Amino acid sequence: MTRAATSALEDFRAAVRDWCRTHIPEDWRRAQTGVTDEEFVRFQKEWFQKLRGAGYAVPHWPEEWGGGMSVAEQVVLYQELATHDAPRLVLPFVSIHHAASTLLAAGTEEQRARHLPAILDGEIWCQGFSEPGAGSDMASLTTSARRDGDVYVVNGQKLWASGAMHADRCLLLARTDPDAPKRKGISYFLMDMSLPGIEVRPIRQATGESHFCEIFLDDVVIPATDLVGPENEGWRVAQETLGAERGMTMLELAERLGNGGFRRLVDLSARRGPDGTVPLDDPLVADRLAQLEIELTGLRALCSDFVSDDRPGPADASIVKLYYSELLQRMTDFGTEVAGLAAHTELRKPLSSGWESGAWVLDFIGSWEWTIPGGTSEIQRTIIGERGLGLPREPGGTR
């Protein structure tokens, strides 16, 4: 990086830092703990618009749609937001990453013009991929979409749809050719969640939250204009969506983990416990922290390299996803160990916080989500072995 570029980046950091000091809501963690769904949604939408006004809401989008930041600028932005303990954009996450990436890569001009401005104005999206019998093996989905003139009639069930109870739209995969090979007969739709025949049921989790939902589809009529890409090519389009989940989103999550979660873990380790001891004085604790810091440095570099590469390797996205999810699990597990029995009395966490909120037991329970959605760790290892290392394909059914 040239001296001028470095200077410009430091000027940008100073501007973001000043903005954070002025605009991050005071005491938002307390205000977002134990709140109703309505209060959570209101807070998230207000925070999104505040970020949007500063140009920080969708930095990864193209410039013509309100983004245009370089990878280096995005890293600085996410570092400062994490360092200043800014709320996360939990509610719009699927909208600004998964939906936007799908529209930009495979949507029509009309679809982009309709939905990208709507997302900026607060349109909320969820993802309807997984099913009771098709989780990591997404190609086994059975939700059907039957063409009837200029519409599709959809029937089936979706599972683990994050935030579906608040969503205006859904990225939906459905089978349009039941006789085609598993990956060949799937189509991709932009489903209006207000259509008749849609029922959403929140799923109560072990943490007490209801982040995930079931979606039941009974003769839901979707206009053919809401088909993304060619009919029966939904599997290919879905790779753009999943690429967003394992790509640019990881840049933010890695910085959150390093500049937010790890700092909280160090602070926790430096506190005097009930017995008068300081965990950080224990060489085993210090060694574990050092090891985690090394792993976090590797993760952040890996994410930055991945999103900077115009032609990433066929297994790079899986490497990033696997690395992050299992590091998150190890770090929150260690946080639970250091926090001790007192951590088990924390029954709620701020709804607008990240996966590393500092409520260590709840964070650890939540970390297991990351090793399952978007392809389990086992699936990621298979992809890395086959596509990255060229190992023989794992024996099994048609894929």
Side-chain angles (χ1 to χ4, degrees):
M1 186 178 292
T2 65
R3 182 175 299 177
T6 300
S7 177
L9 201 59
E10 287 307 309
D11 289 343
F12 176 69
R13 184 184 295 277
V16 175
R17 191 171 291 168
D18 288 343
W19 185 90
C20 288
R21 290 168 179 158
T22 305
H23 293 89
I24 292 177
E26 293 184 8
D27 202 22
W28 69 266
R29 284 180 168 271
R30 181 197 59 78
Q32 279 287 285
T33 301
V35 298
T36 64
D37 280 350
E38 291 74 18
E39 290 173 305
F40 165 69
V41 171
R42 178 187 56 77
F43 177 86
Q44 281 282 302
K45 289 192 173 185
E46 288 177 355
W47 177 235
F48 179 78
Q49 292 306 322
K50 189 175 288 189
L51 287 167
R52 179 190 178 189
Y56 300 157
V58 288
H60 56 293
W61 286 20
E63 185 174 2
E64 61 267 30
W65 294 109
M69 282 190 195
S70 67
V71 171
E73 288 173 326
Q74 291 179 61
V75 169
V76 167
L77 173 63
Y78 295 138
Q79 284 176 346
E80 292 302 322
L81 289 173
T83 299
H84 289 84
D85 194 30
R88 269 199 67 233
L89 290 175
V90 179
L91 186 64
F93 188 80
V94 172
S95 312
I96 63 177
H97 291 292
H98 303 73
S101 295
T102 302
L103 289 163
L104 289 166
T108 64
E109 288 296 333
E110 189 277 332
Q111 288 170 339
R112 285 192 283 270
R114 180 181 180 186
H115 293 297
L116 291 178
I119 290 172
L120 291 175
D121 288 338
E123 185 175 75
I124 302 301
W125 289 67
C126 65
Q127 190 169 302
F129 283 15
S130 297
E131 297 181 6
S136 293
D137 185 15
M138 195 172 60
S140 296
L141 65 86
T142 59
T143 293
S144 65
R146 175 178 53 83
R147 183 75 183 246
D148 184 8
D150 58 357
V151 301
Y152 289 85
V153 180
V154 181
N155 286 278
Q157 178 186 353
K158 294 296 177 178
L159 195 59
W160 312 124
S162 301
M165 75 285 272
H166 306 306
D168 303 300
R169 288 267 170 177
C170 176
L171 301 171
L172 181 76
L173 289 181
R175 192 164 297 283
T176 41
D177 185 352
D179 299 321
K182 286 169 60 175
R183 295 183 179 181
K184 299 296 184 182
I186 297 171
S187 294
Y188 198 118
F189 300 93
L190 311 174
M191 183 175 70
D192 184 345
M193 290 293 285
S194 67
L195 291 172
I198 299 176
E199 181 184 357
V200 178
R201 298 181 191 172
I203 301 170
R204 185 173 176 81
Q205 298 162 232
T207 57
E209 299 174 330
S210 297
H211 177 65
F212 296 114
C213 298
E214 295 176 282
I215 304 176
F216 296 88
L217 308 164
D218 184 11
D219 287 339
V220 179
V221 178
I222 299 178
T225 52
D226 284 338
L227 174 71
V228 183
E231 185 177 286
N232 297 326
E233 290 294 326
W235 180 267
R236 178 183 57 79
V237 178
Q239 303 317 301
E240 301 292 343
T241 307
L242 295 175
E245 182 177 79
R246 301 165 193 166
M248 199 61 75
T249 62
M250 303 308 301
L251 195 65
E252 177 192 1
L253 293 174
E255 294 302 331
R256 287 275 181 178
L257 195 61
N259 282 284
F262 183 69
R263 291 188 180 199
R264 277 186 283 279
L265 181 55
V266 172
D267 289 343
L268 173 69
S269 301
R271 295 174 192 165
R272 191 170 301 280
D275 59 355
T277 62
V278 177
L280 196 54
D281 292 340
D282 187 328
L284 292 177
V285 172
D287 183 68
R288 287 284 297 278
L289 288 172
Q291 179 61 38
L292 287 170
E293 185 172 24
I294 291 169
E295 293 182 70
L296 284 163
T297 301
L299 171 66
R300 292 158 72 182
L302 190 65
C303 290
S304 181
D305 288 347
F306 174 61
V307 299
S308 300
D309 193 342
D310 292 334
R311 300 182 65 183
D316 286 3
S318 293
I319 293 171
V320 170
K321 198 266 187 182
L322 178 67
Y323 192 166
Y324 170 81
S325 60
E326 298 200 346
L327 177 54
L328 173 68
Q329 204 168 75
R330 289 193 295 275
M331 198 171 97
T332 54
D333 183 20
F334 184 55
T336 300
E337 183 179 345
V338 174
L341 291 176
H344 293 260
T345 65
E346 294 187 66
L347 303 179
R348 297 180 300 184
K349 60 186 285 188
L351 292 183
S352 295
S353 61
W355 302 96
E356 61 299 305
S357 71
W360 294 105
V361 172
L362 299 180
D363 288 340
F364 178 56
I365 294 172
S367 72
W368 289 82
E369 298 173 19
W370 262 98
T371 60
I372 300 172
T376 64
S377 293
E378 291 76 14
I379 293 291
Q380 304 309 325
R381 287 187 169 89
T382 297
I383 293 172
I384 293 167
E386 293 178 357
R387 302 180 191 174
L389 301 176
L391 299 178
R393 291 179 62 87
E394 182 176 310
T398 304
R399 296 189 332 196

